[in-house]
């Protein structure tokens, strides 16, 4: 039925278009006409002659229905020229948008047909150009003219929302009609033609909580006092329908999720009226005792609860803070508890909203109260000192056993156990102090020195006698009071100089002093000269009364040649009771200065040398001294190289201390032919041999019984005896005594190695082979050469 209804509508619209076309062709009030060269005159008002143009094209704006699906091409319209006599000599030509593809023209009749289905939403109109030409010559008979083909809309597009899902918030307890959100749908159909794009909104789901305005799409609340705590989220479905909402219209839907936002419409409430808590008396300050919580169904800042103690006998002992993460009130210890004094406390705690909405103030007070009862539990407590710390004083250098002070602790428990005291030796490593274990009296063990340590910080333990684990500790500060036991001294090791040309009463140095004692026994310092040199003719002292003193020259003219160094004793006294003094020596050097008083030289020897000798003379003297030293060294060296025996025999002995024997012996195989008698020294065997290089302090006598028999063949005994004699002889020479024993024994395979008995001479030897030894032996070969060479040379 719908398709038949659409076809009837198309036919009606086509007839309407054709009617408009035929009407345009027979009236003079058509919009699109073109003047022709042919015309006639018309008489207007007041006798004026008007020239009326002749119409060329006779046609109107064309329409074609979109989505036409008939079997034949739809007729859009017809073109006709007034010069067309119907004999077929005129040819109609169509050009422009879609010409030949969408729109075709019958060149004889001028009928225009649409060959394709058109969509207005894709394109609403087409601009075409028509022209009439002579069929035979193609000569234009009329100027070309444009016309428009409009696509006529039908309701073929349903409404569409901008978003498939919407999210919106509205406060709970909002009044009826409160705007929540506006949803908007669009229709692609022509809004200017019919009701195809006229939309009407309606709510499909979400009633009776919300409603929607039919024309605007604004969603509003429909029920009063909607409670978030009862239901927080709602799902609403909105429909948009075209054709003004009538039957046959197309529709589209969207989903809207509406969330109720929280407002502070609920006061906090405690789930119970009394809380029971307990805490030990040994709890430390700030320790948590317990927690309370008031429930508030609101969320966010509307559900924030602050806790406070508003009454009770424990207001001074306890405090409450708010844990905003858990929304709990935390009860904490504010002061130390004592079970023996009070065993229970009561608190009245209030919970109130932090943020209150004035709109809902009528809902009642946004706060609640609860009673908190706290019981104190007994605990075995450690001893307690009467003071948190102690400060004592003792004079330095006080005798051992001097009482410094007394500490006292007690057991807070009902048992009141006895207390023993001790010093933490980690705080008194040098063991300066001791403490009485029974009464807590602190005494010195050895003398104290304030200048070494002005304060002693120790710790004292107090322990219950029967419960060693119960221990308390207190700091004790002991100040060492100063005694004037240090004399003042120079601040530094002063060394002054005075010019030879110094003027009388001229100041040349300012000195100051230092005292290890504190200010009461130190400054002010008094400077003076010792009484025995108070009338020193060279220097005088002036006390500046500001803990410094100035040294001045008393006379004019000093000489380095006479005295270049002065030692001035200075007495310094402190301001202690009783005062102490010390004598300090100031070293004063006499120096040469220029006319401005600038230091030149303080060396007296250099001054003397410069007065008598020039630099060249000094160099010459030094050179002579060096030459003399070189000569002495050479002389001593040559003296030592003389071959003079150091041992003086009783008779003149011109032999060197080298004994040579011609007997070569038997070589390595000779073990029996050694005659030990040859090792005997006939001259030294009977007594002491005097030396030339030293003078013996006493006569050395060989010990009897150590010397073997002269003819003994026990070489081991002989050598050991010689070693003992050499070790025990204080007059033994410092040099090695070289002795050569020529007897080698018999049977040597090598024969005699000596050339003393050789019959040959240098002249009998042939040294020609030296010529072949290379350039290194050329000099030797030239010296010895051959026999002929030697003969020639001789």
């Amino acid at each position: 039925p719908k398709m038949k209804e659409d076809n009837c509508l198309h036919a009606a619209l086509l007839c309407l278009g054709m009617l408009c076309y035929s009407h345009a062709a027979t009236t003079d009030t058509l919009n699109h006409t073109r003047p022709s060269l042919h015309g006639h005159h018309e008489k207007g008002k007041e006798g004026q002659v008007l020239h009326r143009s002749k119409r060329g094209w006779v046609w109107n704006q064309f329409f074609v229905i979109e989505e036409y699906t008939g079997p034949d091409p739809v007729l859009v319209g017809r073109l006709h020229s007034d010069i067309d006599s119907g004999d077929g000599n005129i040819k109609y030509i169509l050009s422009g948008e879609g010409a030949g593809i969408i729109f075709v023209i019958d060149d004889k009749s001028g009928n225009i047909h649409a060959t394709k289905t058109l969509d207005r939403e894709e394109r609403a109109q087409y601009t075409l150009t028509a022209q009439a030409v002579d069929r035979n010559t193609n000569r234009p008979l009329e100027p070309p003219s444009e016309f428009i083909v409009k696509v006529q809309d039908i309701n073929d597009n349903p409404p569409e929302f901008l978003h498939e899902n919407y999210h919106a918030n509205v406060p709970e307890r909002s009044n009826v009609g409160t705007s929540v959100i506006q949803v908007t749908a669009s229709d692609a159909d022509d809004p200017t033609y019919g009701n195809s794009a006229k939309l009407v909104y309606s709510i499909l789901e979400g009633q009776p909580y919300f409603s929607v305005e039919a024309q605007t799409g604004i969603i509003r609340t429909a029920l009063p006092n909607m409670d978030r705590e009862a239901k927080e989220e709602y799902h609403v479905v909105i429909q948009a329908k075209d054709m003004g909402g009538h039957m046959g219209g197309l529709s589209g839907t969207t989903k809207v999720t509406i969330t109720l936002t929280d407002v502070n419409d609920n006061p906090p409430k405690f789930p119970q009226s009394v809380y029971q808590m307990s805490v030990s008396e040994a709890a430390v300050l700030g320790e948590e005792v317990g927690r309370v919580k008031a429930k508030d169904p609101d969320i966010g800042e509307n559900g924030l609860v602050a806790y406070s103690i508003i009454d009770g006998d424990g207001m001074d002992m306890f405090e409450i803070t708010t844990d905003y993460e858990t929304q709990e009130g935390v009860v904490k210890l504010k002061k130390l508890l004592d079970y023996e004094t009070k065993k229970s406390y009561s608190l009245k705690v209030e919970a109130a909203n932090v943020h209150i909405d004035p709109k809902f103030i009528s809902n009642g007070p946004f706060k609640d109260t609860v009673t908190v009862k706290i019981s104190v539990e007994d605990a075995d407590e450690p001893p307690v000192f009467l003071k948190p710390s102690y400060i004592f004083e003792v004079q330095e250098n006080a005798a051992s056993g001097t009482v410094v002070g007394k500490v006292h602790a007690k057991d807070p428990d009902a048992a009141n156990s006895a207390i023993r005291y001790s010093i933490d030796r980690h705080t008194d490593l040098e063991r300066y102090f001791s403490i009485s274990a029974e009464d807590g009296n602190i005494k010195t063990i050895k003398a104290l020195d304030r200048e070494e340590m002005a304060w002693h910080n120790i710790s004292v333990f107090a322990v219950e006698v029967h419960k060693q684990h119960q221990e308390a500790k207190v700091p004790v500060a002991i100040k060492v009071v100063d005694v004037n036991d240090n004399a003042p001294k120079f601040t530094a090791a002063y060394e002054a100089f005075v010019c030879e040309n110094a003027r009388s009463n001229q100041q040349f140095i300012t000195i100051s002093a230092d005292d290890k004692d504190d200010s009461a026994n130190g400054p002010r310092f008094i400077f003076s000269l010792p009484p025995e040199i108070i009338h020193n003719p060279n220097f005088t002292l002036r006390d500046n009364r500001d803990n410094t003193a100035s040294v001045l020259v008393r006379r004019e003219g000093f000489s380095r040649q006479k005295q270049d160094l002065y030692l001035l004793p200075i007495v310094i006294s402190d301001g202690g009771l009783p005062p102490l003094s010390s004598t300090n020596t100031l070293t004063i050097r006499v120096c040469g200065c220029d006319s401005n008083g600038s230091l030149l030289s303080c060396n007296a020897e250099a001054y003397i040398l410069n007065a008598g000798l020039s630099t060249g003379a000094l160099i010459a003297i030094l050179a002579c001294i060096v030459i003399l030293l070189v000569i002495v060294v050479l002389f001593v060296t040559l003296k030592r190289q003389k071959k003079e025996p150091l041992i003086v025999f009783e008779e003149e002995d011109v032999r060197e201390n080298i004994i040579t024997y011609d007997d070569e012996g038997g070589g390595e195989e000779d073990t029996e032919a050694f005659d030990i008698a040859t090792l005997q020294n006939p001259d030294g065997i009977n007594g002491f041999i005097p030396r030339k290089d030293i003078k013996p302090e006493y006569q050395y006598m060989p010990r009897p019984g150590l010397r073997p028999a002269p003819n003994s063949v026990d070489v081991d005994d002989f050598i050991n005896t010689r070693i003992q004699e050499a070790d025990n002889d204080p007059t033994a020479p410092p040099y090695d005594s070289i002795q050569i024993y020529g007897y080698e024994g018999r049977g040597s395979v090598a024969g005699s190695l000596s050339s003393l008995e050789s019959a040959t001479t240098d002249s009998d030897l042939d040294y020609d082979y030296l010529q072949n030894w290379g350039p290194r032996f050329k000099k030797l070969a030239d010296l010895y050469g051959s026999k002929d060479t030697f003969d020639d040379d001789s």
Side-chain angles (χ1 to χ4, degrees), residues 510-535:
T510 299
I511 59 176
S512 61
D514 189 15
D515 195 329
K516 292 183 179 179
D517 295 321
D518 64 9
S519 58
N521 293 314
R524 115 160 171 83
F525 299 124
I526 301 173
F527 300 84
S528 63
L529 295 177
E532 61 271 13
I533 63 167
I534 194 66
H535 299 294

Side-chain angles (χ1 to χ4, degrees), residues 153-428:
D153 182 54
I154 63 172
N155 189 18
D156 59 344
N157 290 280
E160 293 183 359
F161 283 93
L162 299 180
H163 303 285
E164 184 177 354
N165 293 287
Y166 289 85
H167 294 274
N169 297 324
V170 64
E172 64 172 333
R173 307 288 183 181
S174 295
N175 296 327
V176 175
T178 301
S179 175
V180 179
I181 189 175
Q182 181 178 15
V183 294
T184 304
S186 61
D187 195 319
D189 293 326
D190 189 359
T192 63
Y193 179 76
N195 294 327
S196 298
K198 186 178 180 180
L199 305 181
V200 173
Y201 299 94
S202 61
I203 184 168
L204 301 183
E205 294 181 15
Q207 295 173 329
Y209 306 103
F210 300 95
S211 62
V212 64
E213 292 184 355
Q215 306 301 324
T216 62
I218 297 176
I219 301 175
R220 299 182 183 275
T221 58
L223 281 181
N225 297 323
M226 285 190 292
D227 189 6
R228 184 199 66 83
E229 288 73 30
K231 185 176 182 181
E232 183 177 6
E233 191 173 80
Y234 296 85
H235 298 282
V236 179
V237 177
I238 301 298
Q239 181 189 64
K241 189 174 184 181
D242 60 12
M243 297 301 292
H246 295 94
M247 294 184 60
L250 305 178
S251 64
T253 60
T254 185
K255 293 181 179 180
V256 182
T257 302
I258 301 176
T259 303
L260 297 183
T261 58
D262 185 61
V263 297
N264 191 9
D265 57 341
N266 294 281
K269 291 290 183 181
F270 282 105
Q272 60 196 68
S273 59
V274 178
Y275 284 86
Q276 295 286 348
M277 300 179 183
S278 63
V279 60
S280 172
E281 65 171 335
V284 297
L285 298 181
E287 183 173 334
E288 180 178 327
V289 178
R291 296 191 173 211
V292 297
K293 184 175 183 179
K295 296 183 178 180
D296 191 332
D298 296 323
I299 61 174
E301 66 176 13
N302 298 318
L304 294 180
V305 179
Y307 297 88
S308 60
I309 300 175
I310 60 175
D311 197 6
D313 58 1
M315 291 184 64
D316 296 333
M317 304 299 296
F318 301 93
E319 62 182 358
I320 190 168
T321 60
T322 303
D323 185 345
Y324 285 104
E325 291 185 2
T326 61
Q327 290 297 299
E328 293 176 320
V330 183
V331 180
K332 295 182 179 179
L333 186 61
K334 186 178 180 182
K335 291 183 180 180
L336 295 178
L337 301 171
D338 186 7
Y339 173 81
E340 290 71 23
T341 304
K342 189 173 177 61
K343 298 179 176 57
S344 64
Y345 295 90
S346 177
L347 302 175
K348 189 174 183 181
V349 176
E350 180 183 81
N353 279 139
V354 177
H355 303 281
I356 298 177
D357 194 339
K359 297 179 181 179
F360 306 100
I361 196 68
S362 60
N363 287 11
F366 284 82
K367 58 186 177 181
D368 194 14
T369 58
V370 71
T371 301
V372 178
K373 293 184 177 181
I374 302 173
S375 60
V376 181
E377 297 177 349
D378 188 21
D380 187 9
E381 302 173 79
V384 178
F385 282 94
L386 299 185
K387 295 182 180 180
S389 63
Y390 292 87
I391 300 178
F392 301 128
E393 291 185 356
V394 61
Q395 283 193 343
E396 66 174 326
N397 303 325
S400 176
T402 301
V403 176
V404 177
K406 182 179 181 179
V407 297
H408 183 68
K410 66 176 183 178
D411 182 10
D413 296 323
N416 195 17
S417 301
I419 306 297
R420 295 186 63 85
Y421 303 93
S422 63
I423 294 178
D424 183 1
R425 288 304 171 188
H426 293 91
T427 61
D428 186 25

